[in-house]
Amino acid sequence: MNTDVEFHIRQNYPWNKLPANVKQSLGNSQREYEKHVLLYSIRNQLRFRNNLVRHVRKDERKYYEELLKYSRDHLMLYPYHLSDIMVKGLRVTPFSYYIGIMEDIMNSEKSYDSLPNFTAADCLRLLGIGRNQYIDLMNQCRSSKKFFRRKSARDLLPAKPVEISVEPWWVAQTGYITEDDIRICSPAEKKAIDKMIDAGPQLAGSMEYNVVLSLYNRGFIYLDVPISDDSCISVPPLEGFVMNRVQGDYFETLLYKIFVSIDEQTNVAELANVLEIDLDLVKNAVSMYCRLGFAVKKGQAFSSEQLHPTWKNAPSVNRLKSTMDPQKMLLSWEQGSPVMEGGSSATDTDTTSLEDQADTASVSSLSIPAAPTKRIAFLFDSTLTAFLMMGNLSPNLKSHAVTMFEVGKLSDETLDSFLAELEKVESTAEGEAQRYFDHALTLKNTILFLRYNKELTQDQGPDIPNIGFPLDMLRCESLLGLDQATCSRVLNKNYKLLVSMAPLSNEIRPISSCTPQHIGPAIPEVSSIWFKLYLYHVTGQGPPSLLLSKGSRLRKLPDIFQVYDRLLITSWGHDPGVVPTSNVLTMLNDALTHSAVLIQGHGMHGHGETVHIPFPFDEEDLKGEFSYSNMCVHKALKKLKEQVDLEHQCGYITMLNSNNRHRRRASDSTECRGDTHLGGGLDTNGSTESFELVTEENNGESKGKTDNLSSEDEWVPLELCFGMPLFSSELNRKVCRKIASHKLCGNESLQELLHSSRKLSLKVLSFVQSFQDGSQPSDLDSGVSNPLSQPPAESGVPLPALNLLFKDGQLKEWSGRAPPPLDISALQKDQPT
């Protein structure tokens, strides 16, 4: 449906008030507009009264029946905001609605995964049917067909709801009750019904607990979850969430948008204002979180006089427990490890030692006196959540990983229990599992470094106590679910600084943010293939690289790559991989049918050797002659420092030695050198695949020979990543130390970062544009060789229009004709400086 049409329906514009262009888009047909009004109203589960649909469809009951049928057919959540109509008018309770949905999908023999996430979670809450129970029911249903007495799906489904969690602040309202219903009620139940009929809706906590459950199970009452304008909620780690599929209906989209935007300090009215979404819709969404147990309403303490005695032992929705004293959260970073002021470890607290209490909200009640209002946001992508979900890293880590993926956010208030789980992760594992363990341990150290670290905020005003900043973790893909303006408002409201993990996956578009400042890729182009080429272009050094546009076809591998044993292949929007040269042509031509591809020389004798060099550089790093253990003085890096601000950003530069004849040497302690890898290390997601064959072939080389081989010309920059690396603990520790020593989080450094990020963005965009047009960049230093505005968020990074070849220190358009025969020894000697 046209967005203009949707806007005017939402604003209740009748046909005669529509602008001419909107009428024209509907073929000037009023009947067509009325069809759109009805469809939009049903899809968005709008109330009949006070909406445009009342002028289109005269029969109110029929409209609600159509709405209910559409919702059920499309497996949407029960419309709780219309409970008064659905229960009192149509006699359809949430239980009967979900029983109908279950019956439909069982009769159609659909898998459990066909249920959207939130619908599946509500079915689990009310019917007690999760994945395993559904498979069991389907098996029973199929086996009964083999015998004469066939059981229908309805016979196998439960007859009444399972016992649900009810909070005392929920409101009980009478449903559709007949005289026959009253006859089967107990005296206590009759008394409760009479009170609701005479005095109106009642707080559930003021009634007898068992009476509330009994009346609800029979469908005589329904429960409202009231949310007011000034309500604040907290989101504990998810329990009872079902990860099936995302459907994309209006309410589900809204739930995910609010999930990543909400925090414990922002009330519902403020949130609606920041998101520019109708307040009632935001209230409906927040109410749904509380109903499903995914969020906890703050400040709902009942006094013992108000609360009915039977509620004392009632199970609470609130599953979040914490014993962390907020005063102990103040960390200092000394010699690369965090220490608690109280002398104990940040994560040695048993987070499960306290009993649940019905009248507590969450750790949000722990308030740090005069704490700063703004926070640091650590941006991660779905790769990290996948690593945390894989393997049995820790017993309860999965619920946090699910929260990081589905909510898209772990707020500072829940980080104590998250750290406690990360503390339980062992440091060693076997094979590929080691990669997951490494990420978990490095993530723990990163959180401890960024969170409440006094060293990062030494330039706070004299009146403000320096306790560092709280830390939230945000998933990039969830933020991208918000439009650019909304995302900017949310980030500016809550955060002083954004810090990205490095590298972010090529499969996502990174967050662009001038304010708050971003230690990470300034714009999406900076974490794309274009930035690699920009790096080679400004330094005049890099591995031979060929960027082929989508639709190109190779008859043979270009001669420049024939001398290589391994190539680094990067499909557009995907992460790179190292492949043998021998069988690469078929794979390349297949990839070129659906995306642009970057081909790079990697290793001439097995895999090339890569070294990660952390920045910003220290003064000591830049002294002395080039050697294997002192790579910061490499001539390419000197040129790079002039073009790219490496002083107010952090990250690492990957250097590549393709002519890797010697064995990987023992680890040096020199700060500048970073981590060494044979092949596996170049994977941008920190893959640590082992290549034993390569290592064993090189066993015979003597160590004395290696230092002579490691000449400056053998090493070239492969890539530059901004942010905090998580794939290597050693590299992460060095970057953390440099952030603190260079005061990157200080106001002065952040102001410099703002200017340099804008300048780099202009330079890179100008570079991309110049090679799109086919003209060479006139002066990249000016950053304004072509007038260029940043592309809108939805357009993505521009695809290459030309085939580009980087060779002999120059980036040029590649015509596809074979260059003259290549002498590899000459190539190494003549490497440009």
Side-chain angles (χ1 to χ4, degrees):
M1 193 182 294
N2 187 318
T3 50
D4 283 341
V5 175
E6 281 194 6
F7 172 79
H8 288 93
I9 295 172
R10 200 161 48 243
Q11 300 299 323
N12 284 333
Y13 276 68
W15 171 256
N16 55 5
K17 297 268 181 76
L18 283 183
N21 65 321
V22 178
K23 284 185 177 180
Q24 196 172 358
S25 70
L26 294 163
N28 290 313
S29 164
Q30 183 173 351
R31 180 168 293 215
E32 191 64 28
Y33 184 54
E34 289 177 352
K35 276 187 193 172
H36 278 79
V37 170
L38 180 62
L39 182 59
Y40 179 85
S41 304
I42 286 174
R43 277 182 180 169
N44 290 273
Q45 297 178 328
L46 297 185
R47 194 172 281 277
F48 186 81
R49 289 173 193 173
N50 304 324
N51 278 300
L52 197 55
V53 70
R54 71 187 186 281
H55 301 300
V56 173
R57 182 55 60 93
K58 301 303 177 193
D59 188 337
E60 184 175 353
R61 184 183 181 88
K62 191 175 179 189
Y63 165 72
Y64 282 121
E65 284 171 350
E66 283 183 49
L67 185 153
L68 205 58
K69 183 178 186 306
Y70 179 92
S71 299
R72 179 170 154 172
D73 290 347
H74 289 81
L75 311 178
M76 292 169 70
L77 278 164
Y78 179 82
Y80 285 101
H81 59 289
L82 303 175
S83 289
D84 54 334
I85 307 288
M86 296 298 158
V87 179
K88 288 181 180 176
L90 301 182
R91 297 203 75 178
V92 177
T93 63
F95 175 76
S96 62
Y97 173 80
Y98 288 125
I99 285 288
I101 282 181
M102 277 292 174
E103 194 175 350
D104 290 346
I105 65 169
M106 286 177 71
N107 288 334
S108 307
E109 298 207 354
K110 290 182 180 174
S111 75
Y112 184 73
D113 291 330
S114 62
L115 281 175
N117 294 343
F118 286 101
T119 306
D122 210 14
C123 284
L124 179 62
R125 182 181 72 95
L126 288 172
L127 312 182
I129 299 175
R131 189 180 306 277
N132 293 341
Q133 292 84 355
Y134 182 80
I135 292 169
D136 189 40
L137 286 171
M138 285 304 297
N139 289 337
Q140 288 181 49
C141 199
R142 288 183 186 122
S143 63
S144 70
K145 290 177 186 176
K146 297 174 184 175
F147 304 100
F148 294 110
R149 292 186 64 188
R150 180 181 172 180
K151 284 186 179 177
S152 68
R154 184 68 192 85
D155 296 335
L156 296 168
L157 290 167
K160 63 175 186 177
V162 295
E163 186 171 321
I164 62 164
S165 292
V166 179
E167 286 290 301
W169 54 273
W170 292 8
V171 174
Q173 307 230 34
T174 52
Y176 189 100
I177 305 174
T178 63
E179 287 185 14
D180 291 338
D181 294 333
I182 294 290
R183 287 194 194 101
I184 58 170
C185 289
S186 68
E189 290 168 348
K190 283 180 188 172
K191 186 179 173 184
I193 291 171
D194 288 343
K195 189 174 182 183
M196 281 185 279
I197 292 171
D198 296 340
Q202 298 292 309
L203 283 171
S206 65
M207 301 162 65
E208 194 178 327
Y209 180 71
N210 290 329
V211 168
V212 173
L213 284 186
S214 171
L215 292 174
Y216 180 81
N217 286 346
R218 293 189 206 170
F220 296 168
I221 63 169
Y222 63 92
L223 295 166
D224 270 341
V225 180
I227 300 293
S228 58
D229 290 9
D230 58 354
S231 296
C232 292
I233 66 164
S234 63
V235 181
L238 291 184
E239 288 183 30
F241 194 88
V242 182
M243 294 178 72
N244 276 0
R245 70 181 180 94
V246 176
Q247 177 163 268
D249 65 69
Y250 90 99
F251 197 53
E252 181 186 70
T253 305
L254 179 68
L255 286 167
Y256 278 116
K257 275 186 182 178
I258 294 175
F259 249 160
V260 75
S261 311
I262 204 153
D263 62 79
E264 300 193 12
Q265 289 74 40
T266 306
N267 65 37
V268 170
E270 287 172 350
L271 182 67
N273 189 38
V274 170
L275 296 176
E276 293 184 354
I277 294 174
D278 181 67
L279 178 59
D280 287 334
L281 280 177
V282 175
K283 285 181 179 177
N284 292 344
V286 171
S287 173
M288 180 62 77
Y289 296 144
C290 295
R291 188 184 292 274
L292 295 175
F294 299 156
V296 180
K297 192 175 175 184
K298 293 176 67 180
Q300 285 299 322
F302 268 64
S303 66
S304 53
E305 296 84 43
Q306 289 176 296
L307 199 64
H308 196 279
T310 54
W311 281 80
K312 296 296 182 194
N313 299 317
S316 170
V317 170
N318 177 18
R319 303 183 187 92
L320 187 65
K321 310 156 191 171
S322 177
T323 60
M324 177 58 77
D325 176 358
Q327 292 302 326
K328 290 183 183 175
M329 285 195 254
L330 311 184
L331 303 177
S332 65
W333 188 260
E334 294 173 4
Q335 293 146 7
S337 70
V339 292
M340 299 298 289
E341 288 195 342
S344 61
S345 151
T347 51
D348 65 2
T349 312
D350 177 10
T351 56
T352 57
S353 59
L354 279 190
E355 291 295 314
D356 266 0
Q357 295 179 19
D359 60 348
T360 58
S362 73
V363 265
S364 58
S365 57
L366 307 175
S367 58
I368 295 171
T373 52
K374 293 204 172 184
R375 304 179 171 204
I376 295 174
F378 182 70
L379 305 179
F380 62 91
D381 61 29
S382 298
T383 313
L384 181 62
T385 57
F387 288 165
L388 295 178
M389 286 182 197
M390 287 180 188
N392 298 318
L393 298 180
S394 160
N396 299 316
L397 193 57
K398 191 170 182 182
S399 70
H400 288 93
V402 170
T403 308
M404 290 165 71
F405 185 82
E406 293 292 349
V407 176
K409 180 176 184 175
L410 269 190
S411 63
D412 185 78
E413 290 80 6
T414 59
L415 284 185
D416 290 313
S417 57
F418 183 50
L419 285 168
E421 291 306 320
L422 289 174
E423 187 71 23
K424 297 173 188 172
V425 176
E426 296 174 13
S427 56
T428 54
E430 293 181 5
E432 183 68 8
Q434 184 64 50
R435 185 180 176 189
Y436 312 143
F437 282 69
D438 288 345
H439 275 78
L441 293 168
T442 313
L443 176 63
K444 179 190 74 177
N445 292 336
T446 303
I447 293 170
L448 290 172
F449 171 71
L450 291 173
R451 186 177 183 231
Y452 294 113
N453 186 347
K454 293 179 182 179
E455 276 198 63
L456 301 184
T457 54
Q458 289 175 348
D459 58 353
Q460 293 293 302
D463 303 331
I464 305 171
N466 180 20
I467 60 168
F469 285 105
L471 178 74
D472 284 357
M473 296 179 63
L474 301 176
R475 188 172 76 105
C476 287
E477 295 93 327
S478 297
L479 285 173
L480 293 171
L482 306 172
D483 64 76
Q484 215 166 10
T486 304
C487 181
S488 180
R489 286 194 301 274
V490 169
L491 293 175
N492 276 294
K493 180 185 178 299
N494 296 322
Y495 302 106
K496 177 186 171 63
L497 173 66
L498 311 179
V499 181
S500 284
M501 67 175 267
L504 288 166
S505 169
N506 287 347
E507 297 181 17
I508 65 158
R509 180 182 174 89
I511 302 301
S512 302
S513 175
C514 287
T515 53
Q517 283 92 324
H518 182 194
I519 294 180
I523 53 172
E525 282 76 4
V526 171
S527 70
S528 72
I529 286 173
W530 284 116
F531 193 61
K532 269 190 172 184
L533 297 180
Y534 175 77
L535 184 70
Y536 308 152
H537 181 76
V538 297
T539 60
Q541 293 201 40
S545 303
L546 176 61
L547 178 59
L548 295 170
S549 58
K550 178 181 171 182
S552 305
R553 194 158 183 80
L554 292 174
R555 281 179 303 200
K556 68 175 191 122
L557 192 66
D559 290 346
I560 195 166
F561 299 119
Q562 296 287 359
V563 293
Y564 285 90
D565 186 40
R566 294 284 192 278
L567 297 177
L568 182 63
I569 308 295
T570 313
S571 294
W572 200 267
H574 292 85
D575 294 326
V578 182
V579 296
T581 311
S582 53
N583 56 357
V584 76
L585 197 58
T586 311
M587 189 198 80
L588 281 175
N589 282 326
D590 185 43
L592 283 165
T593 59
H594 53 77
S595 74
V597 175
L598 177 68
I599 310 167
Q600 296 181 281
H602 192 260
M604 295 179 189
H605 312 282
H607 288 74
E609 183 176 10
T610 55
V611 171
H612 301 304
I613 303 172
F615 63 85
F617 300 138
D618 298 331
E619 282 184 29
E620 288 298 313
D621 296 342
L622 303 171
K623 293 177 182 174
E625 294 295 314
F626 175 87
S627 69
Y628 184 85
S629 56
N630 189 26
M631 283 206 186
C632 296
V633 294
H634 193 287
K635 51 197 172 190
L637 299 192
K638 288 179 180 175
K639 284 186 184 176
L640 184 62
K641 273 185 68 197
E642 296 166 11
Q643 299 289 339
V644 179
D645 177 14
L646 301 180
E647 290 178 38
H648 304 104
Q649 271 271 26
C650 74
Y652 63 91
I653 300 157
T654 305
M655 301 295 286
L656 170 70
N657 182 355
S658 298
N659 193 18
N660 179 33
R661 289 182 175 279
H662 49 87
R663 178 175 165 75
R664 172 178 166 181
R665 66 201 85 244
S667 174
D668 291 355
S669 59
T670 312
E671 186 61 49
C672 180
R673 211 200 85 245
D675 285 7
T676 313
H677 292 281
L678 284 174
L682 67 99
D683 182 339
T684 57
N685 279 323
S687 169
T688 51
E689 297 164 37
S690 56
F691 299 101
E692 292 83 3
L693 284 174
V694 179
T695 324
E696 289 191 14
E697 283 171 8
N698 299 324
N699 273 352
E701 300 287 349
S702 67
K703 189 164 183 187
K705 197 174 166 187
T706 59
D707 286 329
N708 300 327
L709 279 169
S710 190
S711 71
E712 189 168 3
D713 291 339
E714 280 190 326
W715 292 90
V716 292
L718 178 64
E719 67 175 342
L720 186 158
C721 289
F722 293 111
M724 294 190 72
L726 295 185
F727 59 86
S728 161
S729 295
E730 179 67 13
L731 187 62
N732 177 272
R733 188 187 63 75
K734 290 175 182 176
V735 170
C736 287
R737 191 192 61 73
K738 286 171 182 282
I739 289 173
S741 63
H742 289 259
K743 296 183 170 59
L744 293 194
C745 298
N747 292 328
E748 191 179 325
S749 177
L750 291 179
Q751 200 56 37
E752 289 292 333
L753 174 62
L754 179 63
H755 297 310
S756 63
S757 293
R758 284 175 171 163
K759 195 184 286 185
L760 179 64
S761 301
L762 283 171
K763 285 182 182 180
V764 174
L765 289 169
S766 173
F767 167 79
V768 172
Q769 183 66 19
S770 64
F771 278 103
Q772 288 290 74
D773 296 341
S775 59
Q776 299 304 307
S778 55
D779 178 17
L780 285 177
D781 242 353
S782 69
V784 287
S785 59
N786 282 301
L788 186 71
S789 61
Q790 189 176 339
E794 61 275 10
S795 68
V797 175
L799 290 164
L802 308 169
N803 295 329
L804 300 174
L805 176 69
F806 178 80
K807 187 186 79 159
D808 298 338
Q810 289 189 316
L811 183 63
K812 294 177 180 175
E813 185 180 351
W814 186 64
S815 63
R817 286 189 289 276
L822 182 71
D823 179 1
I824 191 61
S825 58
L827 176 73
Q828 288 171 345
K829 284 176 191 167
D830 300 339
Q831 193 78 3
T833 57

